[in-house]
Amino acid sequence: MSTVGVYPFQDRPPLVSVTPQGLFCPPGNFHIDPWRPVERALITHAHGDHARGGSQRYLAARSGQGLLHKRLGPGTDLATLEYGERLTVGDTTVSFHPAGHVLGSAQIRIEHRGEVWIVSGDYKRTPDPTCTPFEVVRCDTLITEATFGLPIYRWDDPRRVAEDILRWWDGNREAGRASVLFCYALGKAQRILGELARLTDRPALVHGAVNGLVGCYREAGVKMLPTQLVSETEKGASFAGALVLAPPSAGGSTWMRRFGEYATAFASGWMRVRGNRRRRGFDRGFVLSDHADWPELLRTVEDTQASRVLVTHGYSDPLARYLREKGLDAAPLSTPFEGEAED
């Protein structure tokens, strides 16, 4: 990684800082993914730790509109911009750029008096058929996540992971078992359905928490496997051979009793660490994450040509320390964002 020279805006107050309400941009008089209600909120994506209700006005990327209305409520005052479209907000110019995390996810570019900051939200750079790919945006200061900010986290080709999931499903079908795959209801479930749609046209069953979000993706034109609600299957029907997608919270609940004999698996970046699958009691673990791995984090820092890097949520201290050792102006930034929770 190349080193970066002296930060050219040292004499100015930071364009974005942490307040009790959340990340705040004083020249624009707006917050980004605030964790308390504010007057104006710019939202990077629809996950609950970034999109919270109660604020007066919201601004987000247009492709995430359906998910945000579902998260925040249909009566929410939500304005949207196309990716790359610029808008003057206060004394700043803002725009949303693809983050590659989930449908409608965005990095937020903020420009003020020639200074450019990027608040990246959550992002990834591996291919995903269900959302717009990550776009590199040059900036002076980059605020980056660090959910998987350790060198041990390196992702395999997601197409090969999907092939592994299909083989696991096929093996359970032959044995007369249901395949219950736990995954996050927003983003991960739809990505799995999209990846599998390249390999098969067999329908999958989904938990109620997944179903409505799948509908938002279908309305956006995303191709996925056909799905049916578990609760809408005929009473007494056998689930042998079925693939069932469910949120992790369903594991161990009475909801699982209907499946008879079944095998379980979890799709998450945390499955990269040996022992996590056994500790959590899954039969299989599939390494599939909607966050950047270690090489992607480093490549993003370099590609943006940022002179300063602020690192939030996840392994923020180790990543910031590594970047400083490489000659960059880098520091952790404390926020309550969760990234890809382990539970």
Side-chain angles (χ1 to χ4, degrees):
M1 174 180 293
S2 60
T3 57
V4 179
V6 176
Y7 186 68
F9 302 99
Q10 294 281 9
D11 58 334
R12 299 186 190 178
L15 198 52
V16 176
S17 57
V18 177
T19 71
Q21 291 74 34
L23 298 176
F24 181 61
C25 175
N29 193 31
F30 60 80
H31 289 78
I32 300 168
D33 295 349
W35 39 88
R36 295 180 183 174
V38 297
E39 181 179 344
R40 186 163 199 174
L42 275 61
I43 303 297
T44 60
H45 66 285
H47 275 136
D49 58 327
H50 291 260
R52 294 174 168 89
S55 293
Q56 295 180 31
R57 293 182 295 160
Y58 293 86
L59 181 66
R62 187 153 299 154
S63 55
Q65 184 171 358
L67 289 172
L68 285 169
H69 274 307
K70 183 169 284 291
R71 173 75 68 187
L72 302 171
T76 300
D77 184 350
L78 172 64
T80 60
L81 297 175
E82 296 288 355
Y83 285 134
E85 182 180 356
R86 295 194 175 193
L87 178 70
T88 299
V89 181
D91 292 332
T92 68
T93 300
V94 302
S95 54
F96 293 82
H97 301 264
H101 176 57
V102 298
L103 179 66
S105 61
Q107 309 167 76
I108 299 177
R109 181 186 186 273
I110 308 165
E111 184 174 354
H112 174 64
R113 293 169 52 198
E115 184 178 2
V116 176
W117 284 50
I118 291 291
V119 182
S120 64
D122 292 334
Y123 66 93
K124 71 173 179 295
R125 302 189 65 171
T126 49
D128 181 342
T130 67
C131 63
T132 305
F134 179 91
E135 176 188 329
V136 173
V137 185
R138 293 184 180 181
C139 59
D140 301 298
T141 296
L142 172 67
I143 298 181
T144 180
E145 64 147 305
T147 304
F148 293 102
L150 291 176
I152 58 171
Y153 293 111
R154 299 168 188 266
W155 309 144
D156 300 324
D157 186 331
R159 293 167 296 187
R160 293 183 180 177
V161 177
E163 291 169 359
D164 287 343
I165 292 173
L166 182 59
R167 279 192 289 270
W168 172 72
W169 181 10
D170 285 342
N172 290 326
R173 287 183 80 203
E174 293 173 5
R177 293 187 294 263
S179 301
V180 182
L181 178 54
F182 295 106
C183 51
Y184 300 109
L186 172 53
K188 191 70 61 63
Q190 295 77 25
R191 186 181 182 190
I192 291 168
L193 292 169
E195 292 285 0
L196 288 175
R198 295 168 164 172
L199 305 172
T200 180
D201 59 0
R202 297 201 304 255
L205 297 173
V206 295
H207 186 279
V210 174
N211 186 61
L213 301 171
V214 166
C216 289
Y217 274 68
R218 293 202 195 282
E219 290 170 8
V222 176
K223 181 182 178 182
M224 296 175 289
L225 289 186
T227 54
Q228 180 184 348
L229 264 170
V230 168
S231 60
E232 292 181 354
T233 55
E234 293 184 11
K235 189 173 183 179
S238 172
F239 291 92
L243 174 67
V244 183
L245 300 189
S249 59
S253 69
T254 56
W255 183 81
M256 297 288 294
R257 294 177 182 172
R258 69 193 73 196
F259 299 121
E261 185 180 359
Y262 60 83
T264 61
F266 187 38
S268 171
W270 300 115
M271 294 295 98
R272 173 59 71 204
V273 176
R274 199 178 287 271
N276 272 350
R277 175 182 61 81
R278 292 191 300 274
R279 176 173 59 84
R280 300 189 57 178
F282 299 113
D283 299 312
R284 282 290 302 273
F286 298 106
V287 182
L288 188 68
S289 177
D290 289 325
H291 295 261
D293 65 5
W294 176 257
E296 291 173 352
L297 290 168
L298 300 185
R299 179 157 60 101
T300 301
V301 169
E302 186 164 15
D303 288 350
T304 61
Q305 300 183 18
S307 301
R308 173 184 289 166
V309 181
L310 301 176
V311 186
T312 182
H313 66 290
Y315 291 102
S316 53
D317 287 321
L319 179 56
R321 183 168 59 251
Y322 178 87
L323 295 174
R324 286 196 302 272
E325 291 171 354
K326 295 298 180 180
L328 278 78
D329 180 0
L333 188 69
S334 179
T335 69
F337 303 137
E338 297 174 357
E340 188 165 313
E342 291 194 61
D343 298 323

